[in-house]
Amino acid sequence: MPGSPAKAPWLLARCAQFAVVAAAGADVFRARAARGRLLHPAATSAAGFVQVTQIYLYVTTAAVVLFLVWFARCRRNALLLSPGRVPGSAAWAVLAWLLPVFNLWVPRGLMQDVHRASIPAGAAADRPDTLVNVWWAAWVGHAVLGLAVMNLGGGTSLPLLVTAQALGLLAAALAVAVVQRVTARQAAALGPGVPVPAPDGLPQSS
């Protein structure tokens, strides 16, 4: 609320990190179940496959929601720390992650903006965006290969499947690292907290 100190969202960060790891694990089990269902339909229970898929969808949805809530909070903090360095609206910053095609490249720039704007005051220079770039490349590679597995390999190509899942696990590990770095940057920059300004025309509480 206006006037209260802004703080690094460590609790949201931990929840998002746990959910991302859980979603990556669920994706591996789902992919294995899908391949088994295609190769050995008689030996694979349809009900079991549906259950695995449902769990994957639930866990992935939770991971997306928690990650976006964490990102929105970090973006708000970045606006306080570095006014003018985080372009665009708050609504677009969240919606861009969900729009097909747009979500293949726009969120990378959004994360870079928050990553750069969260540097502690007095730091000599921004750290490189290598972590963000490698994370995003791994995520896009996982998404593209996942589609290739279903459309080119019919879900049965083991090399494509293994590569896609390896990239998915790498992307999850890097996402955890990105969340950690951005949150730690903001914790160092905010210190005991930076007051949240009141909307225009309203006085701040003392």
Side-chain angles (χ1 to χ4, degrees), residues 10-95:
W10 278 116
L11 179 59
L12 283 173
R14 294 293 180 249
C15 291
Q17 288 171 321
F18 176 81
V20 166
V21 172
D27 187 32
V28 171
F29 282 107
R30 179 198 60 83
R32 291 180 61 184
R35 187 170 186 272
R37 180 69 178 162
L38 288 169
L39 292 178
H40 309 289
T44 305
S45 168
F49 173 69
V50 170
Q51 185 177 27
V52 169
T53 301
Q54 288 178 334
I55 292 173
Y56 162 74
L57 292 175
Y58 294 150
V59 174
T60 300
T61 300
V64 169
V65 171
L66 288 169
F67 183 89
L68 289 180
V69 172
W70 166 83
F71 177 76
R73 181 66 62 83
C74 285
R75 184 180 183 278
R76 187 188 71 176
N77 288 346
L79 287 169
L80 297 175
L81 291 168
S82 304
R85 294 188 64 187
V86 184
S89 67
W92 171 246
V94 172
L95 187 61

Side-chain angles (χ1 to χ4, degrees), residues 127-169:
R127 295 174 65 182
D129 291 326
T130 302
L131 177 61
V132 175
N133 291 333
V134 174
W135 160 60
W136 197 252
W139 186 88
V140 172
H142 167 67
V144 171
L145 277 181
L147 291 175
V149 167
M150 299 309 300
N151 295 321
L152 299 179
T156 62
S157 173
L158 186 58
L160 284 177
L161 182 63
V162 170
T163 304
Q165 293 308 309
L167 284 174
L169 293 174

